[in-house]
Amino acid sequence: MAAFTLVLLLLLSVSTCSFASDPSPLQEFCVATKSDVLVNGLVCKDPMLATADDFSFSGLHIPRNISNAVGSTVTPVNVAQIAGLNTLGISMVRVDYAPYGQNPPHTHPRATEILTVLEGTLYVGFVTSNPENRLISKLLQKGDVFVFPVGLIHFQHNPGLTKAVAIAALSSQNPGVITIANTVFGSSPAIAEDALAKALQVNKSVVNYIQSKF
């Protein structure tokens, strides 16, 4: 009986891990096409109609405008840009950072991210889940690589006087992004100020001020 229980627990753990990211494809590729049918992913078009354009994207080498409030711009290359990524469980981004700019704290609910610095210096890190909430961080130079585990809050900050550029791969065709400040203070309708003031242990006037920024 003990052996049976051990095997059952092992099978459950394996099955849990197998659903931690996008499911494995059941065919060579499934180029996404517009459809009124709602599925967990995107509907495929006839594979005989697939072309090279369904599997390519141009322009990732072009620097982006970084004159915004946070001093960074993320250029995604996911299934919305490359239809052929549908069901393949992978995507990527380019991130441009102004001097002292940052990609603010955020999470990807469906993907682990692996980031490589192409230019400049980046201070990066992620925070483990409750109750430890431990910061794991590092200063990266050109050519350095860092991994952000799926679902954990993470960030990148450019501490230098020059621009920085990074490229990252993510383990989902559509990883999603939840920017913490935008979500908490910029929701529509807004979260009640009393609730946020208590959660953050600050005065309601502080909550009002921050919400006004979003």
Side-chain angles (χ1 to χ4, degrees), residues 4-29:
F4 174 77
T5 303
L6 183 61
V7 171
L8 181 60
L9 289 173
L10 182 60
L11 288 173
L12 285 173
S13 67
V14 171
S15 68
T16 301
C17 291
S18 67
F19 288 102
S21 60
D22 292 357
S24 298
L26 300 176
Q27 55 207 32
E28 290 182 345
F29 55 81

Side-chain angles (χ1 to χ4, degrees), residues 160-211:
L161 294 172
T162 60
K163 296 178 181 179
V165 180
I167 195 163
L170 300 108
S171 60
S172 173
Q173 69 178 44
N174 184 23
V177 60
I178 301 171
T179 305
I180 308 306
N182 297 41
T183 303
V184 174
F185 297 105
S187 66
S188 181
I191 299 174
E193 60 184 27
D194 288 344
L196 284 182
K198 187 173 183 64
L200 300 172
Q201 300 180 46
V202 297
N203 190 280
K204 286 192 292 185
S205 62
V206 176
V207 172
N208 287 332
Y209 174 75
I210 299 176
Q211 285 181 324

Side-chain angles (χ1 to χ4, degrees), residues 95-157:
V95 191
D96 292 80
Y97 310 83
Y100 303 112
Q102 66 173 243
N103 191 4
H106 63 282
T107 72
H108 301 294
R110 295 179 291 274
T112 290
E113 175 181 349
I114 182 167
L115 176 141
T116 303
V117 179
L118 300 184
E119 297 178 22
T121 301
L122 289 177
Y123 168 61
V124 307
F126 64 87
V127 180
T128 64
S129 56
N130 298 343
E132 292 84 9
N133 298 322
R134 186 162 65 99
L135 173 63
I136 297 177
S137 63
K138 189 175 179 67
L139 187 66
L140 304 182
Q141 308 294 336
K142 180 178 179 179
D144 289 346
V145 177
F146 199 84
V147 173
F148 306 103
V150 59
L152 296 185
I153 294 175
H154 59 282
F155 64 90
Q156 301 108 39
H157 173 74

Side-chain angles (χ1 to χ4, degrees), residues 57 60 74-78 81 92-94:
F57 175 88
L60 208 60
V74 178
T75 304
V77 185
N78 56 44
Q81 287 77 39
M92 65 187 301
V93 297
R94 170 187 169 126

